[in-house]
Amino acid sequence: MTSSHVDVLIIGAGPAGVMAGNALASAGVNVRIIDKRPAKVMAGQADGIQPRTIEVFQSYGLAQSLLERGNQMHSLAFYNPRKDGKGVERTSRVPDISAPSARYRFEITIHQGEIESLFLDSMRTHGLEVERPIMPESIEVSNNEKELASKDSYPVKVVLKHLADATIDPTPNGAHTNDVEPALQASGSELETVYAKYVLGADGAHSFVRNSLGIELDGEHTDHVWGVVDCVPVTNFPDIRNRTAIHSDNGSCMIIPREGDKVRLYVQIAEELQVDEQGRKDRSLITPEKVMEMAKRSMQPFDLEFPDPPEWWTCYVIGQRVAKSFSIKERVFIAGDACHTHSPKAGQGMNASMNDSHNLSWKLAHVLRGWASAEILKTYEFERQKYARDLINFDKRLADLFSGKAVTPENAGGVTHQEFQGLLQSMGGFTSGIGIQYGQSLITDPTCQSLAPGLVIGQRFIPQVIIRVADTRPYEIQDLLVSDTKWKIVFFVGDPKEEKQRAVVNAVGEHLLSTESFTRRFTPKGLPKDAVFTLLTVSSTSKDDADYTDIHPGLRTHWSKAFTDDIAIDERAGGTAYSTYGINPASGAVVCCRPDGYVSFVCSMQDVTRGRLQEYFDTFMIRASA
Amino acid sequence: MTSSHVDVLIIGAGPAGVMAGNALASAGVNVRIIDKRPAKVMAGQADGIQPRTIEVFQSYGLAQSLLERGNQMHSLAFYNPRKDGKGVERTSRVPDISAPSARYRFEITIHQGEIESLFLDSMRTHGLEVERPIMPESIEVSNNEKELASKDSYPVKVVLKHLADATIDPTPNGAHTNDVEPALQASGSELETVYAKYVLGADGAHSFVRNSLGIELDGEHTDHVWGVVDCVPVTNFPDIRNRTAIHSDNGSCMIIPREGDKVRLYVQIAEELQVDEQGRKDRSLITPEKVMEMAKRSMQPFDLEFPDPPEWWTCYVIGQRVAKSFSIKERVFIAGDACHTHSPKAGQGMNASMNDSHNLSWKLAHVLRGWASAEILKTYEFERQKYARDLINFDKRLADLFSGKAVTPENAGGVTHQEFQGLLQSMGGFTSGIGIQYGQSLITDPTCQSLAPGLVIGQRFIPQVIIRVADTRPYEIQDLLVSDTKWKIVFFVGDPKEEKQRAVVNAVGEHLLSTESFTRRFTPKGLPKDAVFTLLTVSSTSKDDADYTDIHPGLRTHWSKAFTDDIAIDERAGGTAYSTYGINPASGAVVCCRPDGYVSFVCSMQDVTRGRLQEYFDTFMIRASA
């Protein structure tokens, strides 16, 4: 049996796994990623990408491909029973995304295999390939406290089985992967023992890592049974290319348009199903023909035909569960479906999964490099478990309302259009991913929120177009807050052309050049000055007058880092950053943005010279040795 | 000696050559492209991309790479002598691009080799590679009228020399390629005879094709001598990242920022130079140190230092010449520097060249496929020679003003800031490429201009965001007018939800389904229905009410081709197409857009049923045989 050492071992190359693999590989972390599937997913499976997730893709430089390859959903249409009883009619069309600060005001639908490809291609440029088919045989975490406390130890032992001639049915018809383990056939195998500093179990709803380490799930299966078909229908239904919720007398149906002419249809299975010995519902009587027939009935009086058999179909029972813990001793973590399962109708599955690993990756990189204390790893469970629980609660309400019959003269107690649309719209911030807020912790300090009330501490940095001073080129500020594992310190300096404010800016500049500066204290010796912290300035000077040379060299590491808040030359955007963020241009403010794009701390310009940034970072960053 | 046949032979793989190569290869035309240089350009040379050229790149799907790799110039700064005589100060900053309808309100600077790479990569995906090093040895065009008139003949004979072990000094220091032929050393060679239907000479200012066929140049060399350095300066000059024109008592200087921290500096060489036997100025005394010293002096009182030697430098005399004809019997064409040479300060060189071949490529494809009469090839010279002459005239005025000394108390007759800025701004439409207008010809019929006064017939289609009805996704209309060699017929149908207009729309739809339709008449049998014409509809219905099913099937070939003029869901654009184009929503209009994106004909909806589109296309398109 061979053996090896690695800093991070990722088990599972689904969305959560490849997001972590790409983030860690691009950060230069020593990482391996394995998967038991011989190849990536070919059809079906989760496919909705929410606005916040598109922002995250953009922060890794991957949004462009996503936008080119995916279908966009801008509108959400509602259909309800006609008064004359002859089928359904459109009640309203509303924006699919109601969160006003969303940079992308739409959802993307795209095949999960395409998403995985994006990451696999990107990982490859950083020298990382998924090793497959390999499955874990056993996993153990050391109990030795000294070993666990050491930065240099490898306290997780994983035995891997390298499979030969493996074949897998990626998602067998009639079985949803959240519910039934896909069948894997393999002949012959070799064992390898891996000693890892950290392990990430991104191995799905039936997580081997979670089960082996005895992490339990909270929650239960529901009674709601749904059928899904991917098809290319021929229809005169005018909203077939919009996300559409149909509440009819003949059952509920959800339309999710996909790439090209493809459409995914979800229908509720009304009939009672038998329960087998394991307590699972027997879905063998459900056929794709039955699902298509139900979709047809719910869309009457419109025509709906299926010239070809469905490309993929399934039938599932909604399970709504969250893992009781997301980590074992902050040495093994679980992410994605391994932590939470819920219905696909809220379109959150792949998003929740990828954002789990986006949250974890920079923290692992910081600890492995010796930049931050291992304590920050506890914030992963703190932040993501709360989110998962909120998601399950939302999903329960949505599933109940959607499974309920529409209100009609005969069914006065049914679900009203107002109830259903109201829930979707009130939760718009949550479902878009935009409104997610991480609570106060070691790394999130909301003390001085009042200096920038529009930039909520714990939420992602709100997009705004600002103007680069030296060349008046407009930039989306989010594009400066890239996922490169660095902290971004944004100095809203006000107008340095004004004498009083210039003195303030110069004092901050001088302080940052001194040995007292947080940048020096927390940047390890021998690394470039900007290895850990990127300093950006945003002034309030008019672009016609502003000069990048106005910014003190201590605050301006390069001409390209000085910006101002003004309308762009093409007058299409810009000039609203200070007002949107609620920052007073007369005094300015300083905003710390985490490497994953979340606002974590705010202070005043004067606070910088008083050492307030040093104090903030001192609670979790490690001082560079002299 | 081997021999071969090809439909189009392109000689020269500079910007004009690769633009044509990519356009023809992606259209599936049988094409070869050769170049005598063993490799693409590595440094220096032309590098400015104008807004219209970016639009053209976008129409080929290549703008994204250009935007990612290039530097952007948004502002233009002017510096003039200070009143106290102590050097220069900023007089003003203005938008670099003043054309209001420009989709991209900036210029891009990028190394010519990068531009060529974009096209080489794209060509490769269509199976075309530049063959190099190969140079033409002779070129002859048949005099046989019958042969010249035949679609199937190969009336151009070119002998090619395949070089071995060729080396070239791409642009030797001190010699500008417009002026001095780069030295090429080659040992050993094989000859090949190529028989071509068409030849494009894109072989530069010293064009072998032009010279062999005896095409003369109109115009002359000027007295203006300029020095150019590419460098990374250290400076406190605040506009070093803007396009900047400095008129100082110590000479003129133009700053063109480039990729990264690089800057190109142009300075006027004041001293008198000796003239050699060929009438050429002796530039041997001009050194890069001298050029840099002049730049330093013109920028006083600002500091300017050059820590490293220049990456590239040159010195040139401005030549301003246009070829007397652009074609021999419409079988051999010349494009780019082979047709026109001028100063680089207007930033037009590469743009003019690429737009020459963009203009020619679709016409060649049409004639080779038998879609259009060979008569349309005459419009190439008609359209592009006029443009080249206008360019030279503009360049003369610009060069004179820029070479003139600034007005000062001691030099009252000098060039005023107002004169210089005034010329640049008044010519903004021209220099951006946006305002270029092709005159009336076989393919350009301005008769019904009044139906859409905002879409000038002969000019490129003005950008506007419109909304796709079926999924409310916003689209830039230019992104629907792609360079795929197809005609785009845009039906501005008004509001088909209104009864009266619905009747008009349905009548047009019925007409288009009949055998009388222009689409049937000019689409060869056996080809897909949309092989030659893409039909798009733009309604004026609100996006909340519009249904793609409102559009008659004769007018709607696919759900994705129906659009409406409304503001986008994210409220960032849209809803101004009818008003911008001056089209009355109550009656609509029909606009024909050439395959290169230029508006060529307008008529009313009623005109369509009257056969007006058939009449327009009948003048140059070939009827499909029954």
Side-chain angles (χ1 to χ4, degrees):
Chain A
M1 180 152 70
T2 59
S3 81
S4 62
H5 287 73
V6 71
D7 284 2
V8 182
L9 174 68
I10 301 170
I11 299 175
V18 293
M19 167 66 87
N22 180 59
L24 293 171
S26 67
V29 168
N30 173 233
V31 57
R32 282 176 69 184
I33 175 167
I34 63 157
D35 197 280
K36 65 184 173 189
R37 297 173 297 174
K40 68 185 169 65
V41 169
M42 295 312 292
Q45 301 222 354
D47 60 359
I49 304 286
Q50 298 295 341
R52 172 58 191 156
T53 310
I54 310 176
E55 291 180 2
V56 171
F57 269 65
Q58 172 69 1
S59 76
Y60 287 98
L62 298 175
Q64 192 58 37
S65 305
L66 184 68
L67 294 170
E68 279 167 16
R69 300 189 202 180
N71 175 68
Q72 297 180 10
M73 296 195 296
H74 292 260
S75 286
L76 167 57
F78 296 94
Y79 279 69
N80 284 287
R82 288 160 59 127
K83 290 222 176 71
D84 63 8
K86 294 178 178 163
V88 294
E89 64 184 1
R90 183 164 66 223
T91 314
S92 66
R93 260 184 207 153
V94 299
D96 185 43
I97 300 301
S98 47
S101 88
R103 177 173 181 185
Y104 307 97
R105 291 278 284 276
F106 51 85
E107 293 178 74
I108 289 179
T109 52
I110 186 169
H111 174 234
Q112 182 175 324
E114 288 275 359
I115 293 289
E116 294 178 13
S117 286
L118 281 183
F119 283 103
L120 296 181
D121 291 348
S122 175
M123 273 164 46
R124 200 166 289 129
T125 67
H126 302 294
L128 183 64
E129 294 266 6
V130 177
E131 302 168 53
R132 58 170 102 219
I134 299 180
M135 62 192 294
E137 177 88 357
S138 69
I139 178 166
E140 282 170 56
V141 188
S142 164
N143 281 317
N144 182 323
E145 288 302 326
K146 208 174 144 194
E147 198 178 353
L148 288 168
S150 161
K151 192 175 107 48
D152 302 316
S153 68
Y154 294 83
V156 194
K157 179 181 168 187
V158 185
V159 176
L160 297 181
K161 199 151 101 183
H162 292 248
L163 307 174
D165 304 322
T167 56
I168 197 166
D169 184 3
T171 309
N173 279 347
H176 187 265
T177 47
N178 274 4
D179 201 39
V180 175
E181 179 75 353
L184 177 72
Q185 265 94 36
S187 68
S189 64
E190 274 178 40
L191 296 182
E192 174 193 7
T193 304
V194 178
Y195 297 93
K197 289 181 178 170
Y198 297 96
V199 168
L200 177 62
D203 49 350
H206 306 279
S207 173
F208 171 86
V209 174
R210 185 192 67 217
N211 291 331
S212 301
L213 296 172
I215 299 175
E216 286 175 23
L217 292 172
D218 267 342
E220 60 211 8
H221 281 284
T222 67
D223 287 336
H224 306 310
V225 181
W226 286 80
V228 189
V229 286
D230 278 358
C231 56
V232 179
V234 172
T235 182
N236 60 355
F237 187 80
D239 285 282
I240 194 72
R241 298 305 308 171
N242 287 323
R243 181 174 166 210
T244 301
I246 303 171
H247 260 120
S248 86
D249 294 340
N250 296 316
S252 298
C253 177
M254 174 83 91
I255 300 174
I256 304 288
R258 299 191 45 185
E259 307 97 307
D261 291 344
K262 262 191 294 190
V263 172
R264 175 166 290 185
L265 301 173
Y266 290 94
V267 298
Q268 194 195 348
I269 308 292
E271 56 199 285
E272 292 295 314
L273 298 177
Q274 301 288 325
V275 173
D276 69 12
E277 302 107 59
Q278 281 101 44
R280 286 178 177 156
K281 302 217 175 195
D282 174 14
R283 288 160 295 171
S284 58
L285 295 175
I286 310 296
T287 62
E289 289 70 29
K290 196 169 258 182
V291 173
M292 292 189 287
E293 187 53 37
M294 294 178 74
K296 271 169 106 153
R297 284 212 306 272
S298 74
M299 267 189 227
Q300 281 166 7
F302 298 97
D303 300 328
L304 182 69
E305 297 298 332
F306 302 93
D308 301 307
E311 183 190 286
W312 176 85
W313 79 280
T314 191
C315 169
Y316 61 89
V317 177
I318 298 175
Q320 291 163 325
R321 301 192 285 187
V322 180
K324 284 187 176 168
S325 72
F326 279 29
S327 146
I328 298 290
K329 296 174 183 166
E330 286 83 48
R331 287 293 187 167
V332 178
F333 301 88
I334 53 175
D337 287 351
C339 306
H340 37 70
T341 65
H342 43 85
S343 89
K345 273 182 307 301
Q348 299 299 320
M350 190 156 49
N351 298 275
S353 298
M354 293 191 290
N355 281 293
D356 284 345
S357 2
H358 176 58
N359 182 290
L360 179 63
S361 300
W362 70 269
K363 296 171 184 172
L364 281 177
H366 265 53
V367 174
L368 282 165
R369 290 168 180 161
W371 292 3
S373 145
E375 284 293 302
I376 67 167
L377 297 174
K378 291 185 176 159
T379 64
Y380 169 64
E381 177 178 292
F382 172 74
E383 294 179 337
R384 297 305 297 174
Q385 194 179 42
K386 173 175 184 306
Y387 165 73
R389 288 184 177 146
D390 290 347
L391 173 58
I392 299 298
N393 288 334
F394 166 70
D395 189 51
K396 281 183 184 161
R397 291 169 63 195
L398 181 68
D400 285 348
L401 278 190
F402 200 62
S403 298
K405 265 206 157 185
V407 66
T408 55
E410 296 76 44
N411 178 27
V415 178
T416 68
H417 172 60
Q418 286 69 24
E419 273 181 280
F420 189 62
Q421 181 173 332
L423 174 68
L424 282 178
Q425 298 221 303
S426 71
M427 296 302 284
F430 182 79
T431 54
S432 66
I434 297 302
I436 290 168
Q437 184 171 355
Y438 295 140
Q440 180 165 4
S441 72
L442 192 62
I443 56 177
T444 308
D445 174 354
T447 317
C448 300
Q449 177 70 75
S450 62
L451 292 172
L455 275 174
V456 179
I457 294 168
Q459 292 193 3
R460 70 89 164 85
F461 212 105
I462 290 181
Q464 280 293 305
V465 171
I466 53 177
I467 310 299
R468 193 159 67 179
V469 173
D471 60 1
T472 44
R473 177 170 172 172
Y475 273 84
E476 170 50 64
I477 195 166
Q478 284 197 341
D479 287 343
L480 307 167
L481 309 175
V482 290
S483 291
D484 59 358
T485 76
K486 297 185 190 187
W487 289 82
K488 316 299 179 306
I489 318 298
V490 189
F491 294 84
F492 290 88
V493 297
D495 184 2
K497 290 275 186 203
E498 293 193 351
E499 203 179 321
K500 203 177 134 203
Q501 192 61 15
R502 183 162 61 241
V504 173
V505 174
N506 288 346
V508 170
E510 287 297 326
H511 173 83
L512 293 178
L513 289 180
S514 76
T515 51
E516 290 304 299
S517 170
F518 72 99
T519 53
R520 289 219 191 173
R521 184 172 293 178
F522 302 109
T523 304
K525 298 278 174 287
L527 291 188
K529 279 181 191 169
D530 62 352
V532 182
F533 302 97
T534 297
L535 310 186
L536 301 167
T537 59
V538 181
S539 74
S540 59
T541 316
S542 140
K543 68 178 176 296
D544 293 337
D545 301 325
D547 292 313
Y548 75 93
T549 46
D550 292 340
I551 306 295
H552 187 283
L555 259 171
R556 166 176 50 89
T557 52
H558 190 257
W559 62 263
S560 63
K561 306 294 184 193
F563 295 82
T564 195
D565 181 26
D566 199 354
I567 193 162
I569 298 268
D570 66 10
E571 298 182 357
R572 287 173 197 150
T576 56
Y578 274 82
S579 58
T580 302
Y581 299 155
I583 295 172
N584 182 352
S587 47
V590 181
V591 179
C592 294
C593 180
R594 293 168 22 164
D596 56 357
Y598 286 75
V599 178
S600 60
F601 181 69
V602 173
C603 68
S604 71
M605 288 286 284
Q606 286 78 5
D607 283 340
V608 178
T609 39
R610 287 182 208 124
R612 197 61 193 82
L613 287 172
Q614 284 88 314
E615 285 169 33
Y616 165 65
F617 284 111
D618 229 3
T619 60
F620 59 91
M621 294 291 275
I622 293 172
R623 291 196 189 202
S625 49
Chain B
M1 180 150 71
T2 58
S3 82
S4 61
H5 287 72
V6 72
D7 285 1
V8 182
L9 174 68
I10 301 169
I11 299 175
V18 293
M19 168 67 85
N22 179 60
L24 293 171
S26 67
V29 168
N30 173 235
V31 56
R32 282 176 67 184
I33 176 168
I34 62 157
D35 198 280
K36 65 184 175 191
R37 297 172 297 173
K40 69 186 169 66
V41 168
M42 295 312 291
Q45 299 221 359
D47 60 0
I49 304 286
Q50 297 295 342
R52 172 59 192 154
T53 310
I54 310 175
E55 292 180 0
V56 171
F57 270 65
Q58 173 69 1
S59 77
Y60 287 98
L62 298 175
Q64 192 59 37
S65 303
L66 185 68
L67 294 170
E68 278 168 14
R69 300 189 202 180
N71 175 68
Q72 297 181 9
M73 295 195 298
H74 291 260
S75 287
L76 167 58
F78 296 94
Y79 279 70
N80 283 288
R82 288 161 59 129
K83 291 222 175 71
D84 62 10
K86 294 179 178 162
V88 294
E89 64 184 0
R90 183 164 66 223
T91 314
S92 67
R93 257 182 210 156
V94 299
D96 185 43
I97 300 301
S98 47
S101 89
R103 177 172 180 185
Y104 307 96
R105 291 279 284 278
F106 50 85
E107 292 177 76
I108 289 179
T109 53
I110 186 169
H111 174 233
Q112 182 175 325
E114 288 273 0
I115 293 289
E116 294 179 12
S117 287
L118 281 184
F119 284 103
L120 297 180
D121 292 347
S122 175
M123 272 162 48
R124 201 165 290 130
T125 66
H126 303 294
L128 183 65
E129 294 266 3
V130 177
E131 301 169 51
R132 58 172 101 220
I134 300 180
M135 61 192 295
E137 176 89 356
S138 69
I139 178 166
E140 280 170 59
V141 188
S142 164
N143 281 317
N144 182 325
E145 288 302 327
K146 206 174 143 195
E147 198 177 355
L148 287 168
S150 161
K151 193 176 105 51
D152 301 316
S153 68
Y154 294 83
V156 194
K157 178 181 169 188
V158 185
V159 176
L160 297 182
K161 198 153 103 182
H162 292 248
L163 307 174
D165 303 322
T167 56
I168 198 166
D169 184 1
T171 310
N173 279 346
H176 187 263
T177 48
N178 274 5
D179 200 39
V180 175
E181 178 74 352
L184 176 73
Q185 265 96 35
S187 69
S189 62
E190 275 177 40
L191 296 182
E192 175 193 6
T193 303
V194 178
Y195 297 94
K197 289 181 178 168
Y198 297 96
V199 168
L200 177 61
D203 50 348
H206 307 278
S207 172
F208 170 86
V209 174
R210 186 191 67 220
N211 290 333
S212 301
L213 298 171
I215 300 175
E216 286 176 23
L217 292 170
D218 267 341
E220 59 210 8
H221 282 284
T222 67
D223 286 337
H224 306 308
V225 181
W226 286 80
V228 189
V229 286
D230 278 357
C231 56
V232 179
V234 172
T235 182
N236 60 355
F237 186 80
D239 285 281
I240 195 73
R241 299 303 310 172
N242 287 323
R243 180 173 167 212
T244 301
I246 303 171
H247 262 118
S248 86
D249 295 340
N250 296 316
S252 297
C253 176
M254 174 82 92
I255 300 173
I256 303 286
R258 299 190 47 184
E259 307 97 307
D261 291 345
K262 263 191 293 191
V263 172
R264 175 167 288 184
L265 300 173
Y266 291 94
V267 298
Q268 194 195 348
I269 308 293
E271 57 200 283
E272 292 294 316
L273 299 176
Q274 299 289 322
V275 173
D276 69 13
E277 304 107 57
Q278 282 100 42
R280 285 177 176 156
K281 301 219 174 193
D282 174 15
R283 288 160 293 170
S284 59
L285 294 174
I286 309 297
T287 62
E289 290 70 30
K290 197 170 258 181
V291 174
M292 292 189 286
E293 186 55 36
M294 292 177 73
K296 269 169 105 153
R297 282 211 308 270
S298 74
M299 268 190 229
Q300 281 166 8
F302 297 97
D303 300 326
L304 182 70
E305 299 297 333
F306 302 93
D308 300 305
E311 182 189 287
W312 177 84
W313 79 281
T314 191
C315 168
Y316 63 90
V317 177
I318 299 175
Q320 290 164 325
R321 301 191 286 187
V322 179
K324 283 186 178 171
S325 72
F326 279 28
S327 145
I328 298 290
K329 298 171 182 170
E330 286 83 48
R331 286 295 187 167
V332 178
F333 300 88
I334 52 174
D337 287 351
C339 306
H340 38 70
T341 65
H342 43 85
S343 89
K345 273 184 305 303
Q348 299 298 319
M350 190 156 47
N351 299 275
S353 299
M354 293 191 291
N355 281 293
D356 284 346
S357 2
H358 176 59
N359 183 290
L360 179 63
S361 301
W362 71 269
K363 297 173 184 172
L364 281 176
H366 266 51
V367 174
L368 282 164
R369 290 170 181 161
W371 292 1
S373 144
E375 284 293 300
I376 67 166
L377 297 174
K378 290 186 176 157
T379 64
Y380 169 64
E381 177 178 293
F382 171 74
E383 295 179 337
R384 297 304 298 173
Q385 192 180 45
K386 175 176 183 305
Y387 165 73
R389 287 185 176 143
D390 290 347
L391 173 57
I392 299 298
N393 288 334
F394 166 70
D395 189 51
K396 280 182 184 159
R397 291 167 64 196
L398 181 67
D400 285 348
L401 278 188
F402 200 61
S403 298
K405 263 206 157 183
V407 66
T408 55
E410 297 77 41
N411 178 28
V415 178
T416 68
H417 171 60
Q418 286 70 22
E419 274 181 280
F420 188 63
Q421 180 173 333
L423 174 68
L424 281 177
Q425 300 220 301
S426 71
M427 296 302 285
F430 182 78
T431 55
S432 65
I434 298 302
I436 290 168
Q437 184 172 357
Y438 296 140
Q440 181 166 5
S441 72
L442 194 62
I443 55 176
T444 308
D445 175 354
T447 316
C448 300
Q449 177 69 75
S450 61
L451 293 172
L455 275 174
V456 180
I457 295 170
Q459 292 193 4
R460 71 86 164 87
F461 213 105
I462 290 181
Q464 279 294 305
V465 171
I466 53 178
I467 310 300
R468 191 158 68 180
V469 174
D471 60 1
T472 43
R473 177 171 171 171
Y475 273 84
E476 170 51 63
I477 195 167
Q478 284 198 340
D479 288 343
L480 307 168
L481 310 174
V482 290
S483 290
D484 59 359
T485 76
K486 296 186 191 186
W487 289 82
K488 316 298 180 306
I489 318 299
V490 189
F491 294 85
F492 291 88
V493 296
D495 183 2
K497 289 276 186 201
E498 293 193 351
E499 202 179 322
K500 204 177 132 200
Q501 192 61 17
R502 183 163 60 240
V504 173
V505 173
N506 288 348
V508 170
E510 287 299 325
H511 174 83
L512 293 178
L513 289 181
S514 76
T515 52
E516 291 304 298
S517 171
F518 71 98
T519 53
R520 289 217 193 173
R521 184 172 294 178
F522 302 109
T523 303
K525 297 278 175 285
L527 291 187
K529 279 181 191 169
D530 63 350
V532 181
F533 301 97
T534 298
L535 311 187
L536 300 168
T537 59
V538 181
S539 73
S540 60
T541 317
S542 140
K543 67 177 177 293
D544 293 337
D545 300 325
D547 292 313
Y548 75 94
T549 46
D550 291 339
I551 306 295
H552 188 282
L555 259 171
R556 166 176 49 91
T557 53
H558 190 256
W559 61 263
S560 62
K561 306 293 185 193
F563 295 82
T564 195
D565 182 26
D566 198 355
I567 194 161
I569 298 269
D570 66 9
E571 299 181 357
R572 287 172 195 149
T576 55
Y578 275 81
S579 59
T580 302
Y581 298 156
I583 295 172
N584 182 351
S587 48
V590 181
V591 179
C592 295
C593 181
R594 295 167 21 165
D596 56 357
Y598 286 76
V599 179
S600 59
F601 180 69
V602 173
C603 69
S604 71
M605 288 287 283
Q606 284 78 6
D607 283 341
V608 177
T609 40
R610 287 182 208 124
R612 198 60 193 83
L613 286 172
Q614 284 88 314
E615 285 169 36
Y616 164 65
F617 284 111
D618 228 5
T619 61
F620 58 91
M621 294 291 276
I622 293 173
R623 291 196 191 200
S625 50

